[in-house]
Amino acid sequence: MPEHCRSTPRDARAITRREFVKAGALGLGAMAAGPGAPAVHAQRPPNLLLILCDQMNLDAMSALGQTHLRTPNLDRLAARGVTFIQSHSTNPVCSPARSSVLTGRMPVETGVIHNDLPIRPDLPNLGQWLGDRGGYETVYCGKWHLPQGYAPPGLAGFRVLPTGGGQGAGDDGFVSRSCEAYLRNRSMNSGPFLMVASFMQPHDICYWMIHPETLVPERLPLRHIADRLPELPPNHASRPPGPQRIGNGYAGFKMALQWRYYLYCYYRMVEMLDADVGRVLDALQETGQAENTVVVFTSDHGEGAGRHGNVQKWHPYDESMKVPMLWSCPGQVAEGLRDGTHLVSGLDVMSTFCDYASIGAPDGVKGRSLRPLLEGRQVTWRDHLVCEWKEQGRIVRTERYKYVMVEDDPAEQLFDMQADPWEMNNRVAEPALAGTVAEHRRLLAEWNSRMDPALAAG
Amino acid sequence: MPKTTTQMADHFSLAHFLGGLEGFTPPTGPFDPSGSWRHGYHMLMSVGKVTRQGMLIVERTPLADGTARLQVECTKRASGGTQRYVARLLCGANALSGPISWELETYLLDTEGKAIADIRLEETGRAVDGGLEVSTGGKTRRLVIPGAFTLHWSLLDAVQRLPGDDGAPLSFTLIDRLNCQAKPGHILAFAEEATIELGGRPVWDEQKQELEAGTLYRPVQRRLGAVATNLRCYEQTGTGILPTFYWVDERGELLVVSSGLIAYIHAGEGGT
């Protein structure tokens, strides 16, 4: 984990497992007496707002110390709630990760093991479940990709606000406008709502290499931004040995300056996203609904961002796997806390929403409610997390290690994430760590035995 | 800065949009950037292939006191409907055409062309001392902005009156899409003059070359019907936008704006 994601910012209070245990031992009331702690529970089920973006790195926000961009709206979400640092994509590509966020199931279970597949029809999505069981008014606006690119009319479980047909720079402004309009126009006497505001940015970076040959320094608009280009990450040249499917970095950029301009543009796309998130948050705030709305902001997956010489996603490295996950709700979620300990993923959104809606989660969900963590209650949490990559690939993340494998390749990886947060030193072959590797293999086998694969289920 | 002659494909701000400029004909005749005019722009998206996403129409009416009214209509196709913005801006008599006040309507049309009632917004805004004040649905919010600021739609007007390479860069805060989100640290500056062959369609031709061994015919691509056009380019950089390029012809008319995957290409008065 990059240092800026581990340090404590000026405006946030980092929280450790010990603090959570202590808070739980004292009880929520004691926690509530302190600064930033939740105070009271609302009587009515809260509104639920999922703000989903596409291809955003965990650390691409100024609240986490990133100095190459400005994200005032994500920062205010972070200041008002809990920021998870050990937050993972279930599979670092759009459709699979989104299928998990929407169902609480792993991609191998939803059947969405690569892009452009539909969710297995017998699994309810958030809209179907919270609409039917929780009486929520359910609204979806923006990117869908399961399999249609944008949410189509007639989408099961949701009223769809039409949008789309393009990419983030052309469409996200309309998504935020439509979400804003819905929030401002709805009657305050209506029942609770579930809204999914699904933005494309910063995914536009995927198309930044259409003409890499034109991105030569003498043609770039560098006169006024030369001193603002981000430096290359420390693991830019690192290519740890491992399964072949990881690939060997992107070869389209020949010069450091091209990479640095790429990063500059990526961060501008995150800023575009931030402005649209701000519009939705402003509407929530100004209509008085923020006080009773649980907001979660997350991304389907990360972005290579030059780390390990990568662009885009699909990689088992943290630049692809780690995603932002910010939760807030005044009075119900602790404020300004950074949780650097608990392993969470998009799987947990369904269970958490159901918990706040006071309904049970669908049978078979693999996620857990984050509510105890969000409220600072004592809870025994998972000690490992399994993620998928490139269909047959799997990752086991424990507190200290990350184990990477792919079914048809004997090469494996093991990284000590505490000593080597940039994942530069594959230690899988070290005899002293043979037991650790074996234990991670065992955890994976156990996890696989609990899956309900879509294909096996027919 | 010396003027260069180049193909669209050679300039990285235009190369992505070659397909979108096929058949493009630069406007001719008298044009007064400070007068009354109406421009239509195709909204293009380039993700390998170029597609038309919608239309932007900007109409300017100068007022006696040096200010101007801008009417902006933006229509974009959506999955299951159409999205529209209609804005009426009063812009100041300054280099950035900064806003004095505006009215904005945004709405969604369903597949039958009917506005979806609860997805309609009406907003008004005005410049106040030190920032902006925006009212939506009876709620008013204020945005503090130190220094100069403008809107991206205002810049479509303003760049047409900017000087060439003797002009100093303009520094300002951008209020993008009237969304009341300040994007500070913007610079708009003259970048270059160039003669660029705009429009046309790609055709393959042969280039004859006499060698000792005989005559060699090499295949070369040309653009049939392309029009060599003298252009000035201004570039804008700053937070929350990708570097943006405004291409203005010798008469001062804005022909192309490109920014990352998006471009706006002049389309007459936008009647189609």
Side-chain angles (χ1 to χ4, degrees), chain A residues 159 163 219 223 271 279 286, chain B residues 83 118 141 179 190 240:
Chain A
R159 175 192 173 190
T163 187
R219 289 178 177 167
R223 286 184 302 156
E271 289 172 340
R279 169 184 292 286
E286 289 164 17
Chain B
Q83 300 149 316
D118 65 342
R141 57 199 183 278
N179 67 359
F190 173 81

Side-chain angles (χ1 to χ4, degrees), chain A residues 96 155 192 200 204 255 309 334 338 347 390 432 434:
Chain A
L155 180 65
M200 281 290 286
D204 283 5
M255 306 171 67
R338 183 182 303 173
L347 277 181
K390 284 194 176 174

Side-chain angles (χ1 to χ4, degrees), chain B residues 127-142:
Chain B
V128 296
D129 188 25
L132 290 176
E133 200 171 78
V134 183
S135 297
T136 314
K139 308 278 185 183
T140 299
R141 57 199 183 278
R142 188 165 181 165

Side-chain angles (χ1 to χ4, degrees), chain A residues 70 72-73 76 150-153 159-186 201 203-205 207-208 210-211 213-215 219-225 228 261 264-269 271-272 274-280 282 286-288, chain B residues 1 9-12 15-17 43 45-48 51 53 74-85 104 106 108-111 116-121 123 136-137 139-141 169 176-187 189-192 235 237-243 245 259-262:
Chain A
R70 179 181 172 276
N73 296 298
R76 66 170 148 144
Y150 279 83
R159 175 192 173 190
V160 172
L161 307 183
T163 187
Q167 301 295 323
D171 281 284
D172 280 357
F174 289 104
V175 172
S176 61
R177 274 284 178 195
S178 293
C179 290
E180 177 191 15
Y182 171 83
L183 292 170
R184 289 189 186 277
N185 290 331
R186 73 188 302 270
Q201 290 288 29
H203 179 274
D204 283 5
I205 197 68
Y207 299 102
W208 206 232
I210 295 171
H211 291 285
E213 73 280 3
T214 65
L215 297 176
R219 289 178 177 167
L220 298 180
L222 301 176
R223 286 184 302 156
H224 303 290
I225 60 173
R228 298 177 192 179
Y261 183 67
Y264 173 87
C265 291
Y266 177 66
Y267 288 142
R268 302 292 77 75
M269 292 171 188
E271 289 172 340
M272 291 181 201
D274 181 82
D276 284 310
V277 170
R279 169 184 292 286
V280 178
D282 283 348
E286 289 164 17
T287 55
Chain B
M1 189 170 290
D10 294 333
H11 199 285
F12 94 104
H16 299 192
F17 301 103
M43 298 161 58
M45 168 76 69
S46 172
V47 287
T51 57
Q53 300 277 306
C74 179
T75 304
K76 186 180 178 304
R77 290 192 308 273
S79 171
T82 304
Q83 300 149 316
R84 272 180 65 80
Y85 288 178
L104 173 70
T106 68
L108 272 176
L109 304 177
D110 63 18
T111 50
I116 301 172
D118 65 342
I119 310 300
R120 181 187 181 98
L121 273 182
E123 186 174 282
T136 314
K139 308 278 185 183
T140 299
R141 57 199 183 278
D176 209 5
R177 296 189 298 238
L178 287 175
N179 67 359
C180 214
Q181 301 287 326
K183 296 181 175 179
H186 279 249
I187 291 176
F190 173 81
E192 64 179 298
E235 65 184 33
T237 54
T239 55
I241 67 160
L242 290 173
F245 303 86
S259 184
L261 308 180
I262 300 283

Side-chain angles (χ1 to χ4, degrees), chain B residues 33 38 69 75 93 97 106 111 117 130 155 163 187 194 206 214 216-217 241 249:
Chain B
R38 175 186 161 104
R69 291 202 181 279
T75 304
S97 294
T106 68
T111 50
L155 290 174
I187 291 176
E206 288 180 334
L216 179 68
Y217 292 90
I241 67 160
D249 71 12

Side-chain angles (χ1 to χ4, degrees), chain A residues 134-383:
Chain A
Y136 275 71
E137 190 175 291
T138 57
V139 179
Y140 198 108
C141 188
K143 174 163 176 169
W144 173 247
H145 209 171
L146 289 163
Q148 301 94 334
Y150 279 83
L155 180 65
F158 290 99
R159 175 192 173 190
V160 172
L161 307 183
T163 187
Q167 301 295 323
D171 281 284
D172 280 357
F174 289 104
V175 172
S176 61
R177 274 284 178 195
S178 293
C179 290
E180 177 191 15
Y182 171 83
L183 292 170
R184 289 189 186 277
N185 290 331
R186 73 188 302 270
S187 165
M188 293 303 112
N189 297 323
S190 306
F193 68 81
L194 161 68
M195 169 178 276
V196 182
S198 183
F199 296 106
M200 281 290 286
Q201 290 288 29
H203 179 274
D204 283 5
I205 197 68
C206 270
Y207 299 102
W208 206 232
M209 293 79 68
I210 295 171
H211 291 285
E213 73 280 3
T214 65
L215 297 176
V216 295
E218 60 269 28
R219 289 178 177 167
L220 298 180
L222 301 176
R223 286 184 302 156
H224 303 290
I225 60 173
D227 61 345
R228 298 177 192 179
L229 300 180
E231 294 297 329
L232 295 179
N235 61 353
H236 177 66
S238 174
R239 306 286 187 276
Q244 283 192 349
R245 287 193 198 181
I246 292 176
N248 201 25
Y250 175 66
F253 296 152
K254 309 297 183 194
M255 306 171 67
L257 206 54
Q258 292 169 313
W259 278 105
R260 295 177 63 200
Y261 183 67
Y262 175 86
L263 287 174
Y264 173 87
C265 291
Y266 177 66
Y267 288 142
R268 302 292 77 75
M269 292 171 188
V270 176
E271 289 172 340
M272 291 181 201
L273 166 71
D274 181 82
D276 284 310
V277 170
R279 169 184 292 286
V280 178
L281 295 181
D282 283 348
L284 205 61
Q285 187 74 35
E286 289 164 17
T287 55
Q289 297 172 99
E291 298 303 308
N292 193 33
T293 302
V294 175
V295 180
V296 56
F297 170 86
T298 190
S299 179
D300 50 3
H301 52 76
E303 150 65 29
R307 300 166 194 184
H308 298 101
N310 283 324
V311 296
Q312 303 188 353
K313 55 270 188 182
W314 301 302
H315 325 103
Y317 298 118
D318 269 10
E319 55 264 26
S320 278
M321 298 303 307
K322 285 286 195 72
V323 291
M325 187 177 276
L326 314 176
W327 290 81
S328 78
C329 183
Q332 297 198 50
V333 170
E335 292 187 4
L337 295 184
R338 183 182 303 173
D339 183 332
T341 304
H342 297 93
L343 295 164
V344 303
S345 82
L347 277 181
D348 301 320
V349 173
M350 169 67 95
S351 297
T352 308
F353 273 3
C354 288
D355 196 350
Y356 278 106
S358 299
I359 60 174
D363 288 343
V365 296
K366 298 301 186 292
R368 289 189 58 180
S369 172
L370 299 171
R371 189 169 179 175
L373 306 181
L374 299 174
E375 295 178 350
R377 284 189 272 132
Q378 183 178 14
V379 62
T380 302
W381 198 248
R382 60 170 72 101
D383 61 6

